[in-house]
Amino acid sequence: MTHTSAAAIRNVVVLALGRIAPEADLSALDPTADIREQLDIDSVDFLNFVLAIHAELGIDIPEADYGKLRTLESCSAYLGARQVA
Amino acid sequence: MTLAVEEQVASPSEDALVEFRMPSLGADMQDGTVVEWRIQPGASIQRGDVIAVVETDKGAIDVDIFTSGRLERILVPVGEKVPVGTPLALVRGDAGAAPPTPIAAPSTPPPSPPQAIQPTSAGAAEHAPSGRLRVSPLARKMAADLGIDLAAITGTGPGGAIDRADVERAAQAAQRIAAQPTLVVRPPSVAPQVTRATAAARQAAMRRAIAAAMARSNREIPHYYLETSIDLQRALAWLQEENVKRPVTERLLPAVLLLKAVALATRDVPEMNGFWTDDQLQPSDAIHLGVAISLRTGGLVTPAIHDTDLKSLDELSAALRDLVLRARSGGLRSSELSEATLTVTNLGDLGAEKVFGVIYPPQVALVGFGAIVHRPWAVDGLLGVRPLVTATLAGDHRASDGHRGSRFLAAVERLLQQPEVL
């Protein structure tokens, strides 16, 4: 699987968030704050988000790792690390 | 809720000529506007095909057709706002096509009598008084905000007046030609400024419609309320085990278990499922659970998952995810918005512990679930901590009583103790 740059990963995360929260102004998202709180997304939205990431990057995020997706920054860090593994 | 969108029209030919009417997509809906016809006269159609897009207070809805056949004639053109029940098109149904079993009209007054609607003539024939454009105040403000030239708009309101919907359409048309998205994630045809202005107008309209429906519900329906705490230990443990075995694409959410349990419990206590019309309960054979989805843009929609009780957990999960996606981004179908037989509202993880809701007429019950919380619980005579969810029932006391309601909640609880058979 090709290595995706950090910037590209970040873009995929933002795109995925845009799909589940099309009304949100993602340019105003605080990368260090809780995504769910900021966007007011529910568990179905979140699962759709995880599935969108999987579709784009081929990374299967287990439920046990959901806590690592708390913020935009932690998402990018987690996915970047998962790629290398 | 009127579901008789088609009605047999006497015809000498063997194939039935069926009227396809503006559907009622909720007790609060009075009228709608066709914004797009997806098929042309002469085209053949299959049951379930989306044949038109209708603009309502709840946004643009894909209208799917009940029957198969051939589109004979379009009766209402794009841009014309018509009351619920107005014939929109004539369909020559396949021989043997039957209209859906009519669910009797709601207790709201029936739509305006047909003489007020002349689909081919009146609105277009009348012209505005010379010189001054007739524009509703809201439309005027919207046009000013969006920089739309009112003189370039054709009004579809009474007497050719320009209303909010006309301005919205003009704005969307302008955006399709001009705008570049500011952020790659946005749908290409809509720029942020248009989204905010039209969203605000739509939000206000939806809020008014919901307010009217909820006020009417509380006025007309004698509600009774029941609650019960349900231990979800077994269900969640089973879910966790299952999800570890499954790929992410087949992951299940607790919400899916709750929905399935409610659907199956309805089989045990069918007076929760159906409609109150003509002073009696018309039970529904089919169980189509409405799922309350709170829209972050404002308002609430309650689209149905058809035959919830017959779907596997996997099918339910896919249906729920798809429904939420389409509720957020547009693309809900009229058949989903008009056919719920019982509604479930689930506050989710960040919600309050319990919700006592207001029944959506003409339904006769509303099931609520609060957030799953860990609380002290008696387990085999000892104190333990368990994940609990508070399930509530708002019941129409004309259709059922506390005893039957209790049986219903007890059935939901019992089913959630055996998740493997859901």
Side-chain angles (χ1 to χ4, degrees):
Chain A
M1 114 127 258
T2 59
H3 178 85
T4 318
S5 71
I9 288 182
R10 166 91 163 225
N11 206 44
V12 166
V13 173
V14 171
L15 267 169
L17 288 175
R19 278 201 65 207
I20 59 141
E23 76 294 336
D25 181 3
L26 295 173
S27 57
L29 210 58
D30 179 351
T32 60
D34 190 299
I35 294 175
R36 290 214 216 194
E37 289 278 353
Q38 287 187 84
L39 298 180
D40 192 18
I41 57 182
D42 64 26
S43 60
V44 182
D45 292 325
F46 192 77
L47 181 54
N48 277 332
F49 167 64
V50 167
L51 286 168
I53 303 262
H54 175 256
E56 268 304 312
L57 298 176
I59 297 174
D60 183 327
I61 305 168
E63 281 191 312
D65 284 355
Y66 280 0
K68 304 188 180 158
L69 302 176
R70 211 180 62 84
T71 70
L72 200 52
E73 269 185 12
S74 63
C75 267
S76 304
Y78 170 80
L79 292 170
R82 276 294 303 273
Q83 267 204 128
V84 176
Chain B
M1 166 174 21
T2 307
L3 197 60
V5 297
E6 286 111 18
E7 199 179 275
Q8 297 275 0
V9 171
S11 160
S13 65
E14 271 176 86
D15 289 339
L17 197 62
V18 168
E19 278 183 341
F20 177 69
R21 298 185 173 188
M22 174 66 76
S24 170
L25 303 174
D28 43 2
M29 179 174 164
Q30 300 296 317
D31 44 45
T33 308
V34 177
V35 294
E36 190 186 338
W37 281 103
R38 289 272 176 90
I39 49 162
Q40 294 307 310
S44 84
I45 48 189
Q46 297 301 311
R47 176 187 166 157
D49 282 353
V50 173
I51 68 165
V53 181
V54 166
E55 181 76 33
T56 69
D57 288 336
K58 294 193 192 299
I61 307 300
D62 294 337
V63 179
D64 48 336
I65 188 154
F66 174 82
T67 190
S68 302
R70 194 169 296 277
L71 182 68
E72 180 97 348
R73 185 151 46 103
I74 290 174
L75 301 173
V76 173
V78 164
E80 182 158 334
K81 180 187 273 200
V82 295
V84 164
T86 308
L88 299 176
L90 289 175
V91 172
R92 188 164 296 281
D94 292 340
T101 312
I103 295 163
S107 51
T108 48
S112 313
Q115 60 263 24
I117 308 145
Q118 306 293 339
T120 50
S121 50
E126 287 182 62
H127 45 269
S130 57
R132 207 167 127 69
L133 281 172
R134 290 173 58 194
V135 187
S136 81
L138 175 60
R140 192 177 293 280
K141 178 172 192 320
M142 270 189 66
D145 287 346
L146 298 175
I148 304 278
D149 178 9
L150 286 171
I153 301 179
T154 309
T156 61
I162 296 171
D163 65 15
R164 163 186 67 83
D166 298 321
V167 176
E168 275 179 69
R169 267 190 299 279
Q172 281 164 13
Q175 287 304 326
R176 266 193 285 278
I177 297 164
Q180 281 299 121
T182 54
L183 196 62
V184 66
V185 297
R186 294 202 183 281
S189 60
V190 180
Q193 187 194 17
V194 173
T195 309
R196 272 198 293 278
T198 57
R202 175 172 299 153
Q203 187 178 340
M206 192 191 291
R207 276 284 166 220
R208 273 197 302 278
I210 293 172
M214 295 293 97
R216 177 187 144 210
S217 173
N218 255 338
R219 207 168 46 236
E220 294 177 4
I221 301 180
H223 283 66
Y224 69 88
Y225 298 98
L226 302 173
E227 71 172 270
T228 194
S229 295
I230 299 178
D231 180 356
L232 287 182
Q233 171 99 329
R234 250 189 239 167
L236 294 180
W238 178 85
L239 205 58
Q240 194 174 16
E241 235 179 73
E242 270 297 306
N243 280 337
V244 163
K245 288 187 257 179
R246 289 156 169 255
V248 61
T249 45
E250 289 168 33
R251 198 160 291 167
L252 297 173
L253 289 171
V256 171
L257 295 184
L258 299 180
L259 277 174
K260 188 70 187 284
V262 169
L264 295 179
T266 306
R267 289 186 185 165
D268 288 352
V269 189
E271 357 16 333
M272 300 300 150
N273 186 58
F275 309 106
W276 185 263
T277 51
D278 295 331
D279 285 328
Q280 59 179 328
L281 173 63
Q282 322 262 14
S284 168
D285 288 327
I287 299 172
H288 309 312
L289 291 187
V291 179
I293 300 171
S294 175
L295 299 178
R296 291 181 289 265
T297 46
L300 192 66
V301 285
T302 55
I305 297 179
H306 288 93
D307 297 312
T308 318
D309 59 320
L310 300 177
K311 289 184 153 67
S312 68
L313 291 180
D314 283 294
E315 290 167 334
L316 258 186
S317 180
L320 182 62
R321 284 191 289 101
D322 176 53
L323 216 56
V324 171
L325 261 177
R326 284 186 291 117
R328 307 256 181 251
S329 58
L332 287 177
R333 286 176 221 118
S334 60
S335 60
E336 291 165 336
L337 287 173
S338 58
E339 293 173 9
T341 55
L342 169 64
T343 300
V344 178
T345 182
N346 186 341
L347 296 184
D349 346 307
L350 303 176
E353 278 191 40
K354 61 184 97 156
V355 51
F356 293 103
V358 181
I359 298 170
Y360 293 87
Q363 293 169 37
V364 292
L366 178 81
V367 182
F369 289 102
I372 299 173
V373 293
H374 287 81
R375 292 284 182 268
W377 198 244
V379 181
D380 295 328
L382 297 173
L383 195 60
V385 175
R386 284 292 166 97
L388 306 176
V389 71
T390 304
T392 58
L393 176 73
D396 182 335
H397 216 303
R398 300 168 300 182
S400 65
D401 57 32
H403 178 73
R404 295 300 286 163
S406 296
R407 299 281 305 225
F408 178 75
L409 286 183
V412 174
E413 166 160 31
R414 192 181 62 239
L415 286 156
L416 285 169
Q417 302 313 311
Q418 288 199 283
E420 61 279 0
V421 299
L422 278 175

